Amino acid sequence: DSGVTQTPKHLITATGQRVTLRCSPRSGDLSVYWYQQSLDQGLQFLIQYYNGEERAKGNILERFSAQQFPDLHSELNLSSLELGDSALYFCASSSEKQPSGNTIYFGEGSWLTVV
Amino acid sequence: GDSVTQMEGPVTLSEEAFLTINCTYTATGYPSLFWYVQYPGEGLQLLLKATKADDKGSNKGFEATYRKETTSFHLEKGSVQVSDSAVYFCALENQAGTALIFGKGTTLSVSS
């Protein structure tokens, strides 16, 4: 158990809908990362938050947004869903700003299926 | 931009065989390098890392050496076990120091 909790574990929704994925980082970790894992693209970095503020953006679509709340949990919002958004979405956390600063711990992921 | 290339899988080995999974990278400077492992139904776990050239990361019998001359970070293990069956990801820290860039992953299957 990494200590990173993601909900829901599985989600099936229709095209055009909106979903919210939730992440609780390890206790004390200030940094939260979101990644998308798909068969064709592999693991893609989406966005990083540190202590409530957006720190870096990766390949995140405009239809997607995220935030980190004062209690440090984070949510990834996916809207106007398309079939191609079906993927495993990982949240990860770390105590440091930089990935090399300390170990990044990954949650078990949220499986999103868009039908 | 920064990128990681690792050997295509799946890699199928018998128990106690020697394992090598190749990983090369493209980056500006000398980024920190990582190997992560993903067991079925689980998230990624850090296996080992190296933060500068010629460093050797090691953990659970796995080793990888940061080779700046060949921009490589190949993963090795002398004697694999069935329990090592998993997907292995090579990664580097991007130049901005904001994220890990992952390779596509190599599936290892070990049979007894």
Side-chain angles (χ1 to χ4, degrees):
Chain A
D1 182 6
S2 67
V4 179
T5 303
Q6 292 188 244
T7 56
K9 291 194 184 307
H10 300 273
L11 189 56
I12 301 174
T13 191
T15 54
Q17 295 298 303
R18 172 190 170 94
V19 299
T20 297
L21 308 180
R22 182 188 167 100
C23 170
S24 294
R26 292 174 74 238
S27 178
D29 281 358
L30 300 177
S31 193
V32 169
Y33 301 83
W34 285 98
Y35 280 84
Q36 179 194 58
Q37 185 179 34
S38 61
L39 280 175
D40 53 343
Q41 296 291 324
L43 263 168
Q44 297 286 313
F45 166 64
L46 297 179
I47 197 163
Q48 183 204 9
Y49 280 83
Y50 182 80
N51 202 21
E53 295 194 3
E54 181 186 300
R55 182 165 184 263
K57 268 187 174 179
N59 300 321
I60 188 165
L61 299 172
E62 285 192 9
R63 299 183 286 109
F64 297 179
S65 64
Q67 57 186 131
Q68 186 179 27
F69 295 87
D71 67 352
L72 300 177
H73 92 270
S74 179
E75 293 181 355
L76 179 66
N77 300 297
L78 315 174
S79 62
S80 303
L81 286 167
E82 302 175 359
L83 295 178
D85 298 327
S86 297
L88 182 55
Y89 291 84
F90 283 112
C91 172
S93 75
S94 170
S95 59
E96 302 286 334
K97 278 185 183 179
Q98 290 195 233
S100 58
N102 206 345
T103 300
I104 296 179
Y105 293 87
F106 282 75
E108 295 184 1
S110 291
W111 272 105
L112 172 65
T113 301
V114 182
V115 297
Chain B
D2 300 330
S3 66
V4 175
T5 302
Q6 54 183 113
M7 61 190 289
E8 297 276 335
V11 174
T12 304
L13 295 173
S14 298
E15 208 165 23
E16 298 183 6
F18 184 85
L19 168 71
T20 300
I21 299 179
N22 290 338
C23 171
T24 57
Y25 67 89
T26 300
T28 303
Y30 305 108
S32 294
L33 302 174
F34 306 80
W35 277 101
Y36 275 78
V37 58
Q38 184 179 25
Y39 297 103
E42 299 183 13
L44 281 75
Q45 302 173 26
L46 178 65
L47 183 58
L48 53 85
K49 71 177 184 180
T51 57
K52 60 182 188 294
D54 299 326
D55 265 3
K56 177 185 282 189
S58 61
N59 186 25
K60 299 180 182 179
F62 290 89
E63 292 183 340
T65 301
Y66 191 140
R67 304 278 189 206
K68 66 176 182 180
E69 302 84 4
T70 53
T71 61
S72 64
F73 193 54
H74 304 322
L75 182 68
E76 297 182 336
K77 186 176 186 183
S79 176
V80 294
Q81 305 300 310
V82 172
S83 57
D84 293 327
S85 298
V87 183
Y88 292 81
F89 292 89
C90 184
L92 61 77
E93 181 182 60
N94 65 1
Q95 187 182 8
T98 55
L100 295 181
I101 306 300
F102 288 88
K104 288 197 178 286
T106 302
T107 300
L108 170 66
S109 178
V110 181
S111 57
S112 57

